Amino acid sequence: MKTLDRRLASPWRRSALAALAGALPVLAYPAPALWRWAYVALVPWLLLARAAPTGRRALYDGWSGGFGFMLALHHWLLPDLNVFTLVIAALLGVLWAPWAWLAHRYLTVGAGASRARVGVALLVLPSAWLAVELVRSWQGLGGPWGMLGSTQWQVAPALRLASIGGVWLLSFLVVAVNVAAAVLVAVPSSRAPAVAGLVATAAATSAAWVWAPRPDGAGRTRIAVVQPGVIDGVDRRFDREEQLTRRLAGQGVDLVVWGESSVGYDLAARPDLAGRLAALSRSTGADILVNVDARRSDRPGIYKSSILVGPQGPTGDRYDKMRLVPFGEYIPARSLLGWATSVGKAAGEDRRRGTEQVVMHAGPGLRIGPMVCFETAFPDMSRRLADDGADVLVAQSSTSSFQRSWAPAQHASLGALRAAETGRPFVHATLTGVSAVYDASGRRLGSRVGTGASTAAVYEVPLAHGVTPYVRFGDWPVHGSLLVLVALGLTEGARALRPRRSAPGPLAPPARTVRESPARPGR
């Protein structure tokens, strides 16, 4: 133990250990998908922050751990962004510094940790983690990719909780369990509130399983996903997608979905391609949702657009991608950060943004809500589409640059969460895999299409109606967490401003009475 203390005395070694501790939760995400690991993965990081000699050192432990977490979560970006990946991880890692400081303050025995303080920690630390996830969910900081609650995408009780409070509620509970585990390990005198926290989490999960409304069945639809695989050249890709789509004739499909950037030309400028797509729609008897990544002929700039094509050609339903991938599709503050194009595969020209989400009418009675690429990471987008009346959520993605990484599996897993949150089936169609379809409860339908496949797959998708509590009430766990932090700040501020009574000093000795001596008679 003394040897470990001596090693931790070195700031550099301690920072390296904190970065390693911060990276540990990544094993709970796909592709490893060790979802149970998420419930104890934060414990080493919490214990390190708790053992910090000062609150200032705990801030550094939080920053270092946040750097390790972000770098491990986005390690697959290194081939494209190179050194800039490290810069992004270092900048975003700062967000976890206050979280570690709070862990030090409320879990440190030397600071007077008690059962009451541990009880506060079980509420404050998950709230602070949600505040971090809220800030980094801003699109300009990369969006909400890798929220801690998303590690539970394949756990049925967790998905039921997501229908109540979204992925935010899952993140809150996962952090609360980690805090309770850290207390059980390091603060034996305060195990009672930790056990109470674990019992409360189990009770909440059980109650959600029984009480949370299940989506009501509303018929079925047949949806085909066309995945051409890794093909160089937009013309060759289109030819392969056309070939795969022809195979769907006579299979009774209601909708065919192509992946992101499946068409490399503006259809208004290429009526020949629009005609070929219309012919495919007539032969399959289904509308085709394609994704055009091209310079538009009717306005300046390059857009990524989901376009619905029917038997007569484009139907007029169009969705322009609103939330672009930083550095991949645009460079924030290009005049300042444009040098990123010289060190990696950053966007040479910024894509243009759409202005509003769209619900499309695909065939008789089927309403679909399209999203493009990492927009599936944003819970508010799928929630809005469900609230606007979409029957099926459809995501078009590519991930062709990250075939041999964890990114395709992570991306596909997000569909389960969005389906469970909204009570709507979710179709995740990609150019190169992983493609997958989920029912309204977040359960995967059929087999997923892996990164090595070039095929067209048909899924029987049960439709659902009804409104989940998450769609109705929104991000209430975030709002509650912010209220907790505001109340904590007010309490701490009032405590700091409270006047302190000075200790009474020693009593002064009684003053002596000076008496005048009687005048002596003269001699």
Side-chain angles (χ1 to χ4, degrees), residues 5-39:
D5 291 341
R6 283 196 299 269
R7 290 179 178 177
L8 292 181
S10 168
W12 291 106
R13 289 178 178 173
R14 187 180 184 95
S15 296
L17 186 61
L20 178 61
L24 291 177
V26 176
L27 295 175
Y29 295 87
L34 305 175
W35 63 268
R36 294 179 181 85
W37 172 244
Y39 292 98

Side-chain angles (χ1 to χ4, degrees), residues 225 227 395 412-413 415 426-430 433-438 444-445 447-449 459:
V225 172
Q227 180 177 301
S413 70
F426 193 102
V427 176
H428 182 77
T430 72
V434 174
S435 297
V437 178
Y438 303 91
R444 194 175 70 201
L445 297 172
S447 300
R448 69 177 192 171
V449 183
Y459 296 88

Side-chain angles (χ1 to χ4, degrees), residues 132-145 147 168 378:
V132 173
E133 290 195 335
L134 176 65
V135 173
R136 78 177 185 91
S137 292
W138 179 49
Q139 180 197 341
L141 295 180
W145 184 279
M147 295 174 68
W168 306 101
F378 293 85

Side-chain angles (χ1 to χ4, degrees), residues 513-519:
T513 303
V514 180
R515 296 180 180 179
E516 294 185 0
S517 302

Side-chain angles (χ1 to χ4, degrees), residues 142-163:
W145 184 279
M147 295 174 68
L148 192 60
S150 65
T151 60
Q152 308 303 298
W153 67 277
Q154 55 187 330
V155 184
L159 292 173
R160 190 66 60 81
L161 284 170
S163 72

Side-chain angles (χ1 to χ4, degrees), residues 91 102 199 226-227 288 327 350 353 385 392 413 460 472 499:
L91 291 175
L102 288 171
V199 171
V226 174
Q227 180 177 301
I288 303 174
F327 299 99
D350 292 349
R353 303 176 190 276
L385 290 170
V392 180
S413 70
E460 192 83 16
R472 186 182 300 276

Side-chain angles (χ1 to χ4, degrees), residues 328-464:
E329 294 170 338
Y330 80 103
I331 296 182
R334 183 176 284 272
S335 60
L336 183 65
L337 302 176
W339 58 269
T341 58
S342 63
V343 298
K345 300 177 182 178
E349 178 182 350
D350 292 349
R351 299 297 196 270
R352 302 297 182 92
R353 303 176 190 276
T355 57
E356 61 181 355
Q357 292 185 262
V358 176
V359 174
M360 301 179 179
H361 294 266
L366 182 64
R367 294 165 296 182
I368 61 173
M371 292 174 283
V372 184
C373 192
F374 96 135
E375 288 182 331
T376 62
F378 293 85
D380 66 301
M381 296 196 72
S382 54
R383 176 173 168 256
R384 171 63 64 84
L385 290 170
D387 196 40
D388 288 344
D391 299 313
V392 180
L393 304 177
V394 180
Q396 297 172 295
S397 184
S398 174
T399 64
S400 56
S401 301
F402 313 110
Q403 287 297 281
R404 293 177 177 83
S405 72
W406 296 350
Q410 284 188 28
H411 202 176
S413 70
L414 296 175
L417 290 161
R418 303 293 88 87
E421 289 169 343
T422 60
R424 295 292 181 271
F426 193 102
V427 176
H428 182 77
T430 72
L431 285 182
T432 57
V434 174
S435 297
V437 178
Y438 303 91
D439 69 10
S441 298
R443 182 183 57 187
R444 194 175 70 201
L445 297 172
S447 300
R448 69 177 192 171
V449 183
T451 54
S454 176
T455 187
V458 179
Y459 296 88
E460 192 83 16
V461 181
L463 300 177

